[in-house]
């Protein structure tokens, strides 16, 4: 695991943008897995800046987002499709037909989940998966549980997640209770993973990525088994790793 600890959120966003830009420069037809939420917003701003400077060309990439709320149409202001469109996709030259999301509206959950997995496989698998992390250690919407869900699936959001995401909806009762998310196996199939975390409320969850235990009650702990993970986290989110000792401290900047 490569670890970059940054001074602040701005530096985190710049470093993350460098990682994503390098992937696209190296492979213009890269398959990129995108995440939503507050954490990657700075990364997306930086990527738009790089696109405007002519440093990155998004025209060849294919995208797969981690998750989508159940019950929201693509046009809904809080759908993750809308989030990505507003915060990145409409501002760069990504091809609309190469953007993939789990659907928010469907009749057969199993069928749409199978289809999403098949689309990822047919595209050749994700080259770089961007991840945030929940305060409860979730990745995508893989919530703490007794077992890992491997493939894309329908999930009941944890109370903690609903509370955390209420800030985007104004009112907690507006937050959908279910989502479709890539599974832990879908995420682990990515050739490389970039995980971002900012702030001291993420420190506990981040420390589990260095625990030496893989535990479905802290889904992000599974990342210890992946061969190519880059963590870009600010020093507040890194607090508890430092306390746990430097043996896993591979790189800091
Ligand atoms: C978003 C996602 C979630 C978020 C996580 C952190 O697509 O899958 O796992 O990455 O909830 O969210 P923020 O960045 O808002 O703290």
């Amino acid at each position: 695991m490569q670890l970059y600890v940054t001074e602040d959120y701005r530096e985190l966003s710049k470093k993350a943008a460098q990682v994503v830009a390098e992937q696209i420069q190296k492979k213009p037809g890269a398959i990129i897995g995108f995440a939503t939420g507050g954490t990657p917003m700075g990364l997306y701003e930086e990527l738009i800046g790089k696109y405007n400077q002519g440093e990155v060309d998004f025209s060849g990439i294919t995208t797969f987002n981690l998750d989508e709320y159940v019950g929201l149409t693509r046009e809904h202001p809080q759908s993750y499709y809308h989030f990505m469109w507003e915060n990145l996709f409409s501002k760069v030259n990504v091809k609309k037909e190469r953007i993939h999301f789990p659907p928010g509206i469907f009749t057969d959950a199993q069928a749409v989940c199978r289809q999403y997995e098949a689309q990822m496989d047919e595209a050749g698998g994700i080259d770089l998966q961007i991840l945030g992390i929940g305060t409860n250690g979730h990745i995508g919407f893989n919530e703490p549980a007794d077992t890992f869900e491997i493939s894309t699936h329908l999930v009941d959001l944890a109370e903690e997640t609903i509370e955390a995401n209420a800030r985007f909806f104004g009112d907690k009762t507006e937050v959908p209770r279910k989502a479709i998310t890539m599974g832990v196996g879908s995420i682990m199939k990515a050739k490389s993973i970039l995980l971002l975390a900012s702030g001291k409320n993420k420190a506990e969850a981040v420390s589990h990525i260095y625990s030496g235990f893989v535990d479905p009650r802290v889904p992000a702990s599974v990342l210890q088994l992946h061969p190519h993970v880059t963590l870009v986290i600010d020093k507040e989110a890194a607090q508890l790793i430092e306390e746990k000792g430097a043996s896993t401290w591979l790189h800091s900047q």
Side-chain angles (χ1 to χ4, degrees), residues 202-217:
K202 299 291 174 75
E204 173 72 32
V206 166
S207 74
H208 285 276
I209 305 176
Y210 286 86
S211 65
F213 292 100
V214 172
D215 183 346
R217 286 167 301 178

Side-chain angles (χ1 to χ4, degrees), residues 35-40 66-67 80 132-134 138-141 167-168 202:
T36 54
T39 314
L66 276 169
D67 37 26
Y80 282 162
I133 185 169
H138 74 206
I139 47 175
F141 277 141
R167 70 192 196 278
F168 296 112
K202 299 291 174 75

Side-chain angles (χ1 to χ4, degrees), residues 9 19 79 100 102 120 128 156 165 175 179 197 207 214 217 242 246:
Y9 180 68
V19 174
S79 77
H100 300 88
M120 287 188 274
L128 175 66
D156 290 316
N165 290 1
V175 185
S207 74
V214 172
R217 286 167 301 178
E242 291 178 57

Side-chain angles (χ1 to χ4, degrees), residues 2 13 21-22 47 90 106 110 116 132 156-157 181 197 205-206 219 234 238:
Q2 269 211 310
S13 303
E22 279 173 6
L47 285 176
S90 66
F106 50 83
Q110 279 192 1
Y116 201 56
D156 290 316
L157 297 177
T181 179
V206 166
D234 63 19

Side-chain angles (χ1 to χ4, degrees), residues 28-247:
I31 318 291
I32 309 286
F34 283 97
T36 54
T39 314
M41 288 180 82
L43 156 65
Y44 298 154
E45 247 176 63
E46 292 291 332
L47 285 176
I48 294 164
K50 284 184 181 295
Y51 168 71
N52 289 333
Q53 296 296 315
E55 286 175 44
V56 200
D57 175 9
F58 291 83
S59 64
I61 72 162
T62 297
T63 78
F64 285 92
N65 259 78
L66 276 169
D67 37 26
E68 182 58 280
Y69 288 119
V70 171
L72 304 192
T73 60
R74 287 188 159 192
E75 295 71 34
H76 189 285
Q78 296 309 333
S79 77
Y80 282 162
Y81 184 92
H82 189 265
F83 174 98
M84 287 306 302
W85 189 252
E86 288 297 307
N87 288 295
L88 181 65
F89 294 158
S90 66
K91 304 198 164 106
V92 297
N93 62 342
V94 62
K95 296 251 164 59
K96 209 169 179 179
E97 62 275 18
R98 297 217 192 104
I99 295 173
H100 300 88
F101 272 79
I105 307 280
F106 50 83
T107 47
D108 183 343
Q110 279 192 1
V112 295
C113 291
R114 267 199 309 273
Q115 190 188 5
Y116 201 56
E117 282 293 319
Q119 283 178 325
M120 287 188 274
D121 288 344
E122 277 159 27
I126 291 174
D127 291 298
L128 175 66
Q129 176 64 55
I130 300 162
L131 294 178
I133 185 169
T135 50
N136 62 3
H138 74 206
I139 47 175
F141 277 141
N142 291 274
E143 300 287 21
D146 292 336
T147 53
F148 286 119
E149 287 267 10
I150 303 304
S151 306
T152 299
H153 59 283
L154 180 65
V155 66
D156 290 316
L157 297 177
E159 201 48 39
E160 209 173 336
T161 302
I162 292 167
E163 270 162 31
N165 290 1
R167 70 192 196 278
F168 296 112
F169 286 82
D171 187 325
K172 193 179 141 186
T173 58
E174 303 281 313
V175 185
R177 268 31 196 173
K178 289 180 188 290
I180 289 199
T181 179
M182 282 187 201
V184 166
S186 335
I187 293 170
M188 292 292 281
K189 275 200 281 188
K191 295 177 188 93
S192 60
I193 291 175
L194 169 65
L195 182 134
L196 310 180
S198 169
K200 60 177 186 293
N201 65 331
K202 299 291 174 75
E204 173 72 32
V206 166
S207 74
H208 285 276
I209 305 176
Y210 286 86
S211 65
F213 292 100
V214 172
D215 183 346
R217 286 167 301 178
V218 191
S221 64
V222 76
L223 297 175
Q224 294 169 101
L225 300 178
H226 195 284
H228 297 293
V229 179
T230 304
L231 266 82
V232 180
I233 61 183
D234 63 19
K235 64 182 186 198
E236 293 193 330
Q239 260 167 20
L240 298 176
I241 312 176
E242 291 178 57
E243 280 171 22
K244 280 191 173 178
S247 61

